[in-house]
Amino acid sequence: MTLFPSFYSTAKVRARANRAQRGVIVFIALIAVLVLSLAAVALLRSTDTAGVISGNVAFKSATTSAADTGAERAFNALPTLATADADVTGKYFRLMQAVDANGIPTAVANNNWADVPCYDATGGATAISCSDESSYRVQYVIDRLCTTAPATTDPLTLLTSKCVAGQPFSSGGSAGDDLNSHAQTTNVFGSLTPPPPTRPTIHYRVTVRVQGPRNALSIVQTTIELPFG
């Protein structure tokens, strides 16, 4: 019987062990590459999401800022509307409107703004298309905060039972005095005859809706107080 040295058997065992170790290392390396790839993809998606969110916030902020132009437009239009004392479709209600759970007048709630014209955010006088999703579209409606139509001769005690009303503005000072609230406010009546300084005031609610790119939407409300009479 021929005997082989024991180191041959030992060498074979070591070779097989080395091959097994190399296989395990390759397997572990593949798992590590897979994990790193998934982490890279997650990082890229996180970065993209952050960019989208930042863009949406910026558009939302811009629509809210643009609401100022709608409030100013309503303020300039209000004297003529209030003097005419008649409903104007898509613009003015002489009586206070019911509101939904969000405080939006039901006449225009639930996106029922189809009859309300759109304007740009730069103060342009001409109405623009409400379907141009690349631009900022400003809409506004005004409702007088009265449950019953007031008369121009109503005293304050009677007016307060019909409307959200207030004391007359101060009539002190001159027309050019910045501290004269009555003189400064009645300047907005322009060529119209303003109410006398002894007349009480009525409040008007202005609801401004602004649509912007990426379906950005802001609705802002403010109140305007003007002399009535």
Side-chain angles (χ1 to χ4, degrees):
M1 176 181 295
T2 303
L3 298 177
F4 293 96
S6 61
F7 69 87
Y8 286 123
S9 298
T10 303
K12 290 181 180 180
V13 170
R14 288 178 178 175
R16 285 196 296 269
N18 288 338
R19 285 196 295 271
Q21 289 177 357
R22 285 197 297 270
V24 171
I25 292 173
V26 170
F27 180 71
I28 294 174
L30 289 175
I31 293 177
V33 170
L34 178 60
V35 171
L36 290 175
S37 299
L38 292 175
V41 171
L43 179 61
L44 289 174
R45 293 190 63 180
S46 175
T47 303
D48 291 342
T49 302
V52 171
I53 292 174
S54 298
N56 290 341
V57 170
F59 284 123
K60 177 68 172 181
S61 177
T63 57
T64 303
S65 298
D68 288 344
T69 65
E72 183 177 357
R73 192 182 296 274
F75 181 75
N76 292 333
L78 184 53
T80 299
L81 296 169
T83 301
D85 195 24
D87 288 346
V88 178
T89 301
K91 182 174 289 188
Y92 179 76
F93 302 95
R94 60 199 296 265
L95 295 180
M96 182 166 51
Q97 300 295 292
V99 298
D100 63 12
N102 297 315
I104 308 302
T106 54
V108 291
N110 301 319
N111 291 324
N112 186 27
W113 291 76
D115 294 329
V116 182
C118 290
Y119 298 92
D120 61 33
T122 62
T126 305
I128 64 173
S129 171
C130 292
S131 60
D132 183 5
E133 297 183 357
S134 65
S135 64
Y136 292 94
R137 294 141 285 159
V138 182
Q139 298 168 285
Y140 72 88
V141 291
I142 307 169
D143 61 321
R144 184 171 60 183
L145 299 184
C146 298
T147 55
T148 304
T152 57
T153 56
D154 285 345
L156 178 59
T157 53
L158 181 56
L159 198 60
T160 53
S161 68
K162 300 178 178 180
C163 308
V164 179
Q167 295 286 342
F169 286 138
S170 169
S171 59
S174 61
D177 190 346
D178 288 339
L179 300 179
N180 178 3
S181 58
H182 180 269
Q184 293 301 311
T185 303
T186 53
N187 282 341
V188 303
F189 284 86
S191 60
L192 301 172
T193 301
T198 56
R199 288 298 299 162
T201 63
I202 283 182
H203 291 71
Y204 301 80
R205 176 172 52 200
V206 178
T207 304
V208 181
R209 178 179 186 248
V210 183
Q211 301 174 88
R214 290 191 189 176
N215 295 320
L217 175 67
S218 291
I219 296 181
V220 177
Q221 286 185 324
T222 186
T223 56
I224 298 174
E225 184 181 10
L226 286 181
F228 177 77

